[in-house]
mmCIF file of all heavy atoms in Angstrom:
data_model
loop_
_atom_site.group_PDB
_atom_site.id
_atom_site.type_symbol
_atom_site.label_atom_id
_atom_site.label_comp_id
_atom_site.label_asym_id
_atom_site.label_seq_id
_atom_site.Cartn_x
_atom_site.Cartn_y
_atom_site.Cartn_z
ATOM 1 N N HIS B 40 199.127 -100.224 78.690
ATOM 2 C CA HIS B 40 198.171 -101.205 78.721
ATOM 3 C C HIS B 40 198.431 -102.022 79.952
ATOM 4 O O HIS B 40 197.484 -102.362 80.714
ATOM 5 C CB HIS B 40 198.210 -102.102 77.504
ATOM 6 C CG HIS B 40 197.373 -103.263 77.605
ATOM 7 N ND1 HIS B 40 196.040 -103.212 77.553
ATOM 8 C CD2 HIS B 40 197.674 -104.549 77.772
ATOM 9 C CE1 HIS B 40 195.491 -104.426 77.586
ATOM 10 N NE2 HIS B 40 196.467 -105.270 77.760
ATOM 11 N N ILE B 41 199.671 -102.357 80.287
ATOM 12 C CA ILE B 41 199.965 -103.228 81.433
ATOM 13 C C ILE B 41 199.621 -102.477 82.724
ATOM 14 O O ILE B 41 199.060 -103.085 83.665
ATOM 15 C CB ILE B 41 201.464 -103.634 81.383
ATOM 16 C CG1 ILE B 41 201.671 -104.646 80.266
ATOM 17 C CG2 ILE B 41 201.835 -104.327 82.716
ATOM 18 C CD1 ILE B 41 203.067 -105.086 79.884
ATOM 19 N N SER B 42 200.062 -101.318 82.750
ATOM 20 C CA SER B 42 199.805 -100.620 84.008
ATOM 21 C C SER B 42 198.260 -100.355 84.281
ATOM 22 O O SER B 42 197.787 -100.420 85.374
ATOM 23 C CB SER B 42 200.496 -99.143 84.036
ATOM 24 O OG SER B 42 200.028 -98.353 82.927
ATOM 25 N N THR B 43 197.473 -100.054 83.160
ATOM 26 C CA THR B 43 195.955 -99.905 83.287
ATOM 27 C C THR B 43 195.384 -101.254 83.754
ATOM 28 O O THR B 43 194.560 -101.293 84.580
ATOM 29 C CB THR B 43 195.479 -99.543 81.927
ATOM 30 O OG1 THR B 43 196.058 -98.300 81.593
ATOM 31 C CG2 THR B 43 193.916 -99.328 82.048
ATOM 32 N N ALA B 44 195.784 -102.346 83.244
ATOM 33 C CA ALA B 44 195.332 -103.673 83.590
ATOM 34 C C ALA B 44 195.674 -103.909 85.020
ATOM 35 O O ALA B 44 194.860 -104.551 85.920
ATOM 36 C CB ALA B 44 195.948 -104.749 82.738
ATOM 37 N N ALA B 45 196.943 -103.576 85.539
ATOM 38 C CA ALA B 45 197.258 -103.823 86.945
ATOM 39 C C ALA B 45 196.475 -102.969 87.849
ATOM 40 O O ALA B 45 196.013 -103.425 88.912
ATOM 41 C CB ALA B 45 198.740 -103.431 87.133
ATOM 42 N N ILE B 46 196.153 -101.710 87.475
ATOM 43 C CA ILE B 46 195.336 -100.794 88.379
ATOM 44 C C ILE B 46 193.952 -101.359 88.454
ATOM 45 O O ILE B 46 193.321 -101.292 89.501
ATOM 46 C CB ILE B 46 195.381 -99.357 87.805
ATOM 47 C CG1 ILE B 46 196.785 -98.801 88.101
ATOM 48 C CG2 ILE B 46 194.260 -98.568 88.447
ATOM 49 C CD1 ILE B 46 197.114 -97.543 87.429
ATOM 50 N N SER B 47 193.355 -101.815 87.261
ATOM 51 C CA SER B 47 191.978 -102.302 87.332
ATOM 52 C C SER B 47 191.888 -103.589 88.153
ATOM 53 O O SER B 47 190.940 -103.793 88.992
ATOM 54 C CB SER B 47 191.548 -102.673 85.856
ATOM 55 O OG SER B 47 191.545 -101.535 85.049
ATOM 56 N N GLU B 48 192.944 -104.511 87.984
ATOM 57 C CA GLU B 48 192.898 -105.646 88.868
ATOM 58 C C GLU B 48 192.946 -105.336 90.392
ATOM 59 O O GLU B 48 192.209 -105.959 91.104
ATOM 60 C CB GLU B 48 194.024 -106.553 88.401
ATOM 61 C CG GLU B 48 194.115 -107.920 89.022
ATOM 62 C CD GLU B 48 195.215 -108.811 88.492
ATOM 63 O OE1 GLU B 48 195.816 -108.391 87.458
ATOM 64 O OE2 GLU B 48 195.414 -109.834 88.966
ATOM 65 N N LYS B 49 193.813 -104.354 90.718
ATOM 66 C CA LYS B 49 193.921 -104.037 92.092
ATOM 67 C C LYS B 49 192.584 -103.502 92.660
ATOM 68 O O LYS B 49 192.137 -103.857 93.791
ATOM 69 C CB LYS B 49 195.035 -102.992 92.272
ATOM 70 C CG LYS B 49 195.274 -102.559 93.762
ATOM 71 C CD LYS B 49 196.407 -101.710 93.814
ATOM 72 C CE LYS B 49 196.674 -101.258 95.310
ATOM 73 N NZ LYS B 49 197.751 -100.410 95.431
ATOM 74 N N LYS B 50 192.007 -102.580 91.829
ATOM 75 C CA LYS B 50 190.675 -102.026 92.216
ATOM 76 C C LYS B 50 189.567 -103.248 92.383
ATOM 77 O O LYS B 50 188.747 -103.180 93.257
ATOM 78 C CB LYS B 50 190.185 -101.057 91.200
ATOM 79 C CG LYS B 50 188.901 -100.380 91.505
ATOM 80 C CD LYS B 50 188.541 -99.278 90.569
ATOM 81 C CE LYS B 50 187.302 -98.571 90.788
ATOM 82 N NZ LYS B 50 186.765 -97.626 89.876
ATOM 83 N N PHE B 51 189.537 -104.180 91.461
ATOM 84 C CA PHE B 51 188.746 -105.288 91.553
ATOM 85 C C PHE B 51 188.886 -106.121 92.799
ATOM 86 O O PHE B 51 187.925 -106.486 93.510
ATOM 87 C CB PHE B 51 188.826 -106.211 90.308
ATOM 88 C CG PHE B 51 188.069 -107.583 90.414
ATOM 89 C CD1 PHE B 51 186.829 -107.582 90.190
ATOM 90 C CD2 PHE B 51 188.866 -108.612 90.720
ATOM 91 C CE1 PHE B 51 186.202 -108.818 90.400
ATOM 92 C CE2 PHE B 51 188.177 -109.893 90.832
ATOM 93 C CZ PHE B 51 186.795 -109.896 90.645
ATOM 94 N N TYR B 52 190.082 -106.321 93.185
ATOM 95 C CA TYR B 52 190.394 -107.077 94.411
ATOM 96 C C TYR B 52 189.960 -106.395 95.606
ATOM 97 O O TYR B 52 189.439 -107.033 96.602
ATOM 98 C CB TYR B 52 191.788 -107.659 94.522
ATOM 99 C CG TYR B 52 192.140 -108.752 93.491
ATOM 100 C CD1 TYR B 52 193.276 -108.574 92.699
ATOM 101 C CD2 TYR B 52 191.279 -109.861 93.475
ATOM 102 C CE1 TYR B 52 193.522 -109.613 91.796
ATOM 103 C CE2 TYR B 52 191.674 -110.866 92.583
ATOM 104 C CZ TYR B 52 192.800 -110.827 91.754
ATOM 105 O OH TYR B 52 192.978 -111.783 90.923
ATOM 106 N N SER B 53 190.181 -105.047 95.693
ATOM 107 C CA SER B 53 189.728 -104.321 96.742
ATOM 108 C C SER B 53 188.187 -104.244 96.944
ATOM 109 O O SER B 53 187.709 -104.365 97.988
ATOM 110 C CB SER B 53 190.152 -102.874 96.616
ATOM 111 O OG SER B 53 189.748 -101.931 97.594
ATOM 112 N N GLU B 54 187.470 -104.087 95.804
ATOM 113 C CA GLU B 54 185.948 -104.157 95.791
ATOM 114 C C GLU B 54 185.499 -105.536 96.242
ATOM 115 O O GLU B 54 184.493 -105.650 96.928
ATOM 116 C CB GLU B 54 185.452 -103.611 94.502
ATOM 117 C CG GLU B 54 185.625 -102.279 94.193
ATOM 118 C CD GLU B 54 185.043 -101.788 92.851
ATOM 119 O OE1 GLU B 54 184.420 -102.655 92.107
ATOM 120 O OE2 GLU B 54 185.252 -100.627 92.546
ATOM 121 N N THR B 55 186.099 -106.567 95.911
ATOM 122 C CA THR B 55 185.711 -107.880 96.188
ATOM 123 C C THR B 55 185.900 -108.097 97.634
ATOM 124 O O THR B 55 185.086 -108.716 98.349
ATOM 125 C CB THR B 55 186.553 -108.898 95.366
ATOM 126 O OG1 THR B 55 186.318 -108.754 94.011
ATOM 127 C CG2 THR B 55 186.164 -110.320 95.744
ATOM 128 N N GLU B 56 187.070 -107.603 98.248
ATOM 129 C CA GLU B 56 187.204 -107.708 99.626
ATOM 130 C C GLU B 56 186.154 -106.950 100.445
ATOM 131 O O GLU B 56 185.723 -107.520 101.410
ATOM 132 C CB GLU B 56 188.700 -107.165 99.978
ATOM 133 C CG GLU B 56 189.024 -107.196 101.404
ATOM 134 C CD GLU B 56 190.376 -106.487 101.787
ATOM 135 O OE1 GLU B 56 190.824 -105.749 101.006
ATOM 136 O OE2 GLU B 56 190.861 -106.749 102.861
ATOM 137 N N GLN B 57 185.869 -105.792 99.923
ATOM 138 C CA GLN B 57 184.841 -105.032 100.695
ATOM 139 C C GLN B 57 183.450 -105.729 100.548
ATOM 140 O O GLN B 57 182.647 -105.665 101.557
ATOM 141 C CB GLN B 57 184.735 -103.539 100.101
ATOM 142 C CG GLN B 57 185.888 -102.752 100.338
ATOM 143 C CD GLN B 57 186.218 -102.713 101.917
ATOM 144 O OE1 GLN B 57 185.245 -102.217 102.558
ATOM 145 N NE2 GLN B 57 187.350 -102.911 102.238
ATOM 146 N N TYR B 58 183.160 -106.340 99.450
ATOM 147 C CA TYR B 58 181.926 -107.108 99.365
ATOM 148 C C TYR B 58 181.859 -108.183 100.393
ATOM 149 O O TYR B 58 180.834 -108.366 101.123
ATOM 150 C CB TYR B 58 181.862 -107.678 97.970
ATOM 151 C CG TYR B 58 180.759 -108.664 97.816
ATOM 152 C CD1 TYR B 58 179.340 -108.262 97.679
ATOM 153 C CD2 TYR B 58 180.867 -110.052 97.839
ATOM 154 C CE1 TYR B 58 178.333 -109.198 97.653
ATOM 155 C CE2 TYR B 58 179.925 -111.009 97.734
ATOM 156 C CZ TYR B 58 178.638 -110.512 97.627
ATOM 157 O OH TYR B 58 177.542 -111.450 97.548
ATOM 158 N N TYR B 59 182.971 -108.989 100.554
ATOM 159 C CA TYR B 59 182.821 -110.084 101.539
ATOM 160 C C TYR B 59 182.871 -109.474 102.863
ATOM 161 O O TYR B 59 182.227 -110.087 103.849
ATOM 162 C CB TYR B 59 184.066 -111.013 101.338
ATOM 163 C CG TYR B 59 183.843 -111.868 100.093
ATOM 164 C CD1 TYR B 59 184.734 -111.836 98.998
ATOM 165 C CD2 TYR B 59 182.918 -112.846 100.075
ATOM 166 C CE1 TYR B 59 184.476 -112.555 98.011
ATOM 167 C CE2 TYR B 59 182.704 -113.630 99.012
ATOM 168 C CZ TYR B 59 183.548 -113.573 97.852
ATOM 169 O OH TYR B 59 183.353 -114.336 96.855
ATOM 170 N N ILE B 60 183.499 -108.382 103.254
ATOM 171 C CA ILE B 60 183.458 -107.823 104.543
ATOM 172 C C ILE B 60 182.058 -107.449 104.874
ATOM 173 O O ILE B 60 181.496 -107.580 105.887
ATOM 174 C CB ILE B 60 184.441 -106.629 104.683
ATOM 175 C CG1 ILE B 60 185.886 -107.221 104.752
ATOM 176 C CG2 ILE B 60 184.181 -105.846 105.942
ATOM 177 C CD1 ILE B 60 186.990 -106.181 104.654
ATOM 178 N N VAL B 61 181.458 -106.578 103.885
ATOM 179 C CA VAL B 61 179.999 -106.214 104.175
ATOM 180 C C VAL B 61 179.059 -107.396 104.293
ATOM 181 O O VAL B 61 178.073 -107.343 105.114
ATOM 182 C CB VAL B 61 179.684 -105.190 103.130
ATOM 183 C CG1 VAL B 61 179.186 -105.809 101.825
ATOM 184 C CG2 VAL B 61 178.615 -104.299 103.686
ATOM 185 N N ASP B 62 179.296 -108.444 103.649
ATOM 186 C CA ASP B 62 178.535 -109.669 103.648
ATOM 187 C C ASP B 62 178.565 -110.298 105.066
ATOM 188 O O ASP B 62 177.607 -110.690 105.679
ATOM 189 C CB ASP B 62 178.892 -110.647 102.645
ATOM 190 C CG ASP B 62 177.906 -111.750 102.472
ATOM 191 O OD1 ASP B 62 176.681 -111.555 102.395
ATOM 192 O OD2 ASP B 62 178.356 -112.896 102.313
ATOM 193 N N GLN B 63 179.873 -110.240 105.600
ATOM 194 C CA GLN B 63 180.048 -110.875 106.892
ATOM 195 C C GLN B 63 179.275 -109.960 107.964
ATOM 196 O O GLN B 63 178.789 -110.384 108.927
ATOM 197 C CB GLN B 63 181.551 -110.880 107.185
ATOM 198 C CG GLN B 63 181.973 -111.539 108.454
ATOM 199 C CD GLN B 63 181.557 -113.039 108.611
ATOM 200 O OE1 GLN B 63 181.605 -113.718 107.631
ATOM 201 N NE2 GLN B 63 181.187 -113.420 109.835
ATOM 202 N N LEU B 64 179.567 -108.643 107.870
ATOM 203 C CA LEU B 64 178.799 -107.696 108.679
ATOM 204 C C LEU B 64 177.252 -107.871 108.727
ATOM 205 O O LEU B 64 176.610 -107.919 109.664
ATOM 206 C CB LEU B 64 179.109 -106.270 108.257
ATOM 207 C CG LEU B 64 180.531 -105.740 108.769
ATOM 208 C CD1 LEU B 64 180.837 -104.433 108.140
ATOM 209 C CD2 LEU B 64 180.589 -105.697 110.275
ATOM 210 N N MET B 65 176.721 -108.087 107.485
ATOM 211 C CA MET B 65 175.280 -108.330 107.416
ATOM 212 C C MET B 65 174.898 -109.590 108.139
ATOM 213 O O MET B 65 173.837 -109.709 108.765
ATOM 214 C CB MET B 65 174.892 -108.474 105.950
ATOM 215 C CG MET B 65 173.379 -108.473 105.667
ATOM 216 S SD MET B 65 172.432 -107.090 106.331
ATOM 217 C CE MET B 65 173.000 -105.703 105.388
ATOM 218 N N LEU B 66 175.637 -110.651 107.986
ATOM 219 C CA LEU B 66 175.355 -112.001 108.596
ATOM 220 C C LEU B 66 175.410 -111.759 110.177
ATOM 221 O O LEU B 66 174.543 -112.175 110.877
ATOM 222 C CB LEU B 66 176.534 -112.973 108.269
ATOM 223 C CG LEU B 66 176.241 -114.413 108.828
ATOM 224 C CD1 LEU B 66 175.023 -114.931 108.290
ATOM 225 C CD2 LEU B 66 177.439 -115.186 108.460
ATOM 226 N N ILE B 67 176.420 -111.030 110.679
ATOM 227 C CA ILE B 67 176.437 -110.696 112.090
ATOM 228 C C ILE B 67 175.275 -109.894 112.583
ATOM 229 O O ILE B 67 174.671 -110.126 113.581
ATOM 230 C CB ILE B 67 177.794 -110.031 112.515
ATOM 231 C CG1 ILE B 67 178.956 -110.972 112.256
ATOM 232 C CG2 ILE B 67 177.770 -109.414 113.819
ATOM 233 C CD1 ILE B 67 180.300 -110.175 112.260
ATOM 234 N N ALA B 68 174.810 -108.953 111.734
ATOM 235 C CA ALA B 68 173.776 -107.997 112.102
ATOM 236 C C ALA B 68 172.427 -108.891 112.152
ATOM 237 O O ALA B 68 171.534 -108.679 113.048
ATOM 238 C CB ALA B 68 173.638 -106.958 111.054
ATOM 239 N N VAL B 69 172.251 -109.765 111.141
ATOM 240 C CA VAL B 69 171.021 -110.574 111.167
ATOM 241 C C VAL B 69 170.974 -111.515 112.374
ATOM 242 O O VAL B 69 169.875 -111.551 113.052
ATOM 243 C CB VAL B 69 170.885 -111.476 109.782
ATOM 244 C CG1 VAL B 69 169.881 -112.403 109.861
ATOM 245 C CG2 VAL B 69 170.645 -110.484 108.691
#
């Protein structure tokens, strides 16, 4: 349970980081 929660949390933070990067790229593109 602890290892599954840690893996899910790591994936969430990675996806959140990618969201903010693509948002910044979109702002630059506009």
Side-chain angles (χ1 to χ4, degrees):
H40 175 70
I41 290 172
S42 63
T43 304
I46 291 170
S47 295
E48 188 174 350
K49 184 176 180 179
K50 185 177 178 183
F51 169 75
Y52 286 129
S53 175
E54 288 178 5
T55 303
E56 179 186 18
Q57 291 303 305
Y58 169 78
Y59 284 115
I60 289 172
V61 82
D62 191 46
Q63 183 68 30
L64 283 171
M65 187 58 70
L66 182 64
I67 292 168
V69 169

